[in-house]
Amino acid sequence: MDTASTRTPRPPVTVRTAAVWAVLRRELDRHAGRELTVLDVGGGTGGFAVPLAELGHTVTVVDASPDALAALTRRAADAGVAGRVRAVQGDGDALSGLVEPGSVDLILCHAVLEFVDDPAQVVAAINTALRPGGTVSLLVAGRAAAVLGRAFNGNLAAASALLNDPDGRAGQRDNVRRRYDASSAAALLGEAGLTVEETHGVRVLADLLPAAVVEGDPQVMLELELALASRPPFRDIASQLHVFARRP
């Protein structure tokens, strides 16, 4: 008997990923018993892709880094899901040429739109790749957290520049090309024809507190992060914003 096929793995939930996994689990539960076609744009070494494959889904990871894709391949093999994970070298800006239209049930686009040349083009390609009823999990850098972080560190000039820059960038040396708030991230998806269903903050407290506090009582910390994730104004000062949307 193949015991591996009967087990139900649980994704690795941490303070930094709990809010995202909570949303993904609800969507996966809606399709219980069905193998989903998943695309992970900028999925790197497979932090989300491999657990999704372990849950029985087929995942294609598109990433520009050959080293990251090599690590992904090893990680998938070690987890026994190499046959469910496909690595494709490419970047978000070229997504439309890498994916068959209307072929994907769930797309992850985490920490990508901050760096691409044209975020609207990437989101449009995501909408095209989704089947009707398909969903996208979007994770972007939050502007408010970046402003506060620089102010708390005493870099008031950078905080002011980031606050007033149209793209939420702290000058030309900032390696993040743009940052978002909840409304601008939702607007980007809405303009592409997607319907936003949920918005959460990710790492509301995890990046503000000393590591000793975060690690001192992990369960309480996890519960507090999840409680704050969906509640403005706490949600809006999170390091990242998670927006979950569906193609009508």
Side-chain angles (χ1 to χ4, degrees):
M1 178 179 179
D2 182 3
T3 55
S5 64
T6 61
R7 65 188 178 95
T8 305
R10 301 294 298 181
V13 175
T14 69
V15 168
R16 294 174 180 275
T17 63
V20 178
W21 275 117
V23 175
L24 293 178
R25 286 296 310 205
R26 286 195 292 273
E27 180 63 17
L28 297 178
D29 287 346
R30 292 181 71 252
H31 301 281
R34 180 184 163 208
E35 178 180 326
L36 299 183
T37 299
V38 182
L39 173 67
D40 191 349
V41 183
T45 61
F48 281 88
V50 171
L52 286 168
E54 290 182 292
L55 290 169
H57 307 292
T58 301
V59 188
T60 297
V61 176
V62 174
D63 198 281
S65 169
D67 291 340
L69 294 177
L72 163 70
T73 301
R74 292 192 296 271
R75 188 175 192 168
D78 290 344
V81 293
R84 291 186 177 276
V85 177
R86 184 169 70 103
V88 176
Q89 188 172 357
D91 54 35
D93 287 311
L95 186 61
S96 60
L98 299 172
V99 184
E100 187 74 21
S103 64
V104 185
D105 297 299
L106 169 65
I107 296 179
L108 278 59
C109 184
H110 295 172
V112 171
L113 297 188
E114 297 92 323
F115 305 101
V116 296
D117 291 333
D118 189 343
Q121 178 182 325
V122 175
V123 174
I126 285 172
N127 185 48
T128 299
L130 286 170
R131 294 188 174 106
T135 51
V136 56
S137 167
L138 179 71
L139 193 62
V140 293
R143 180 198 290 256
V147 172
L148 293 175
R150 283 160 175 77
F152 291 158
N153 287 329
N155 195 343
L156 301 183
S160 179
L162 198 153
L163 176 65
N164 293 304
D165 185 83
D167 293 323
R169 193 178 188 193
Q172 292 301 312
R173 293 184 179 180
D174 191 346
N175 62 0
V176 177
R177 299 175 67 174
R178 60 189 67 84
R179 293 176 178 86
Y180 296 85
D181 55 33
S183 59
S184 62
L188 188 62
L189 295 174
E191 288 164 5
L194 295 158
T195 301
V196 172
E197 295 186 346
E198 300 183 61
T199 302
H200 291 88
V202 176
R203 293 151 50 201
V204 177
L205 293 178
D207 291 349
L208 293 176
L209 300 178
V213 175
V214 175
E215 298 165 5
D217 195 332
Q219 186 58 38
V220 171
M221 188 68 198
L222 180 63
E223 292 170 358
L224 185 55
E225 276 283 338
L226 288 172
L228 296 176
S230 60
R231 300 186 189 182
F234 309 106
R235 175 199 72 185
D236 300 318
I237 64 167
S239 294
Q240 293 176 299
L241 297 170
H242 182 236
V243 187
F244 192 74
R246 191 177 303 275
R247 179 181 176 183

